[in-house]
Every structure is written in structure tokens, then in C-alpha cells.
Amino acid sequence: MHGPASSGWLLVALCAVTGAYCLVRMRSGAGEERGAAGGEALMGFGMAAMAVPAAVFTPPSWAWPVYAVVFGVAAVPALRAARAGAHHLHHLVGAGAMVYMSVVMAGAPAHAHGQGGSEVPLLTGALLLYFAGYVLLTGVRLVPVAAVAGSGAGGGGSAGWGDRPELARACRLSMGISMVAMLLTL
């Protein structure tokens, strides 16, 4: 993504740490939760790779279509699982957003993003609205969980790192915030 190098590196770090935590969640989860954590790990690492500042590393021209294919393939299980619940629908929208960003980056000349007029393509604007709403909703949902977990009630020391629902929500929140940042720099 094109933008200031310092914010790009912060985005890379946030997404990579989020992806690593999702791998930890994969180990402790079972069945559907394991699959969701795997999809989120792929999204986190993919977002980290896409967020590397262009001034430091410009991917070869073949990398963007590869990203589009990888995230398109990742969208297939989310599409099948979307009938089961809204959480899977969110994974589908996230994978679609990654495909969209990859296609835009593949079709644009280097350093052409984030410059020029104030026009925002309709799909970019719709994705920005969706992810901004998701971030706000997830943040509101996280507050009560954090307040209960921090109150000291219920001996919270027995749960492993991968079994903590408030960390999973914080992981999803950080990826939503990262998606907003990446869409803004598109």
C-alpha cells in the first residue's frame, strides 16, 4: 500500500502480530473455531505483506494477481459457511476486500495511489463504510468483555492464550482497523 512509511510499518507489525495470535488460536480451537482462526491468520499475514511501504519494497508485477487468487480461494470456504452465520459473512467480505485491493494495486502504476483528486470509487467507499461500522460495533462489544475479564471475578488464570474470547475480539478489531487504514491509502 502507498502511504507514509512509519504508518506502513506500524500496520505491518499490527497485522503480523494479529496473524501470529490467530495461529495460536488455531492450536487451541476445535472444528469451526479452528477454521475461522486459520482464515483470520491468513488475512493478518496477507494484510501485513500488502502493507509493507512501497518506498521500501515494491512487489513484482506478478505478486498482486497472486494475492488476488489466494484471497479468492480463501473466500470459497467463507462463501459456503456464510449460510451458517454472520461471522462467516464478515470473512467473505474481508476476503473480497483483499481481492479488490489486490486487483486495484495490480492495475495501477507504482506510486499512483492516494494521490490526486478527492474522488473515492464506489466499492472502496462501501467497503470503508462496512469496515468502519464493523470496527465500531466490535469495539462496543469488546468493552463489556474487557470489563468483566478485568474485574477479577472468576479466576481467569486457567484459560490459555488461545482460549480468551476478548483477545479473539481484539484480534478481529485490529484487523478491521487495519482494513480501514489500507482502504484509505488505496
Side-chain angles (χ1 to χ4, degrees):
M1 309 284 8
H2 300 283
S6 59
S7 61
W9 285 118
L10 288 172
L11 195 58
V12 168
L14 177 66
C15 293
V17 167
T18 300
Y21 175 71
C22 291
L23 287 178
V24 171
R25 280 186 31 233
M26 273 183 70
R27 288 188 40 189
S28 65
E32 187 177 319
E33 182 62 31
R34 180 177 290 202
E40 290 169 359
L42 175 67
M43 292 293 283
F45 289 128
M47 289 169 68
M50 288 176 76
V52 172
V56 175
F57 174 72
T58 301
S61 61
W62 56 264
W64 297 114
V66 168
Y67 285 147
V69 168
V70 167
F71 288 108
V73 169
V76 172
L79 179 61
R80 280 187 250 152
R83 290 177 256 165
H87 179 70
H88 296 289
L89 188 58
H90 172 70
H91 283 171
L92 181 62
V93 172
M98 295 295 283
V99 169
Y100 170 69
M101 288 189 292
S102 299
V103 168
V104 168
M105 294 299 289
H111 305 290
H113 302 286
Q115 300 175 5
S118 62
E119 48 190 77
V120 175
L122 185 60
L123 185 53
T124 303
L127 288 169
L128 275 168
L129 285 174
Y130 171 80
F131 282 105
Y134 179 80
V135 164
L136 292 172
L137 184 62
T138 303
V140 167
R141 288 181 179 168
L142 185 61
V143 171
V145 172
V148 171
S151 67
S158 63
W161 281 100
D163 299 327
R164 302 195 50 178
E166 71 274 12
L167 289 179
R169 285 188 184 137
C171 171
R172 292 180 190 116
L173 176 64
S174 68
M175 283 197 291
I177 292 168
S178 299
M179 189 66 79
V180 168
M182 290 175 74
L183 286 165
L184 284 172
T185 62
L186 192 59

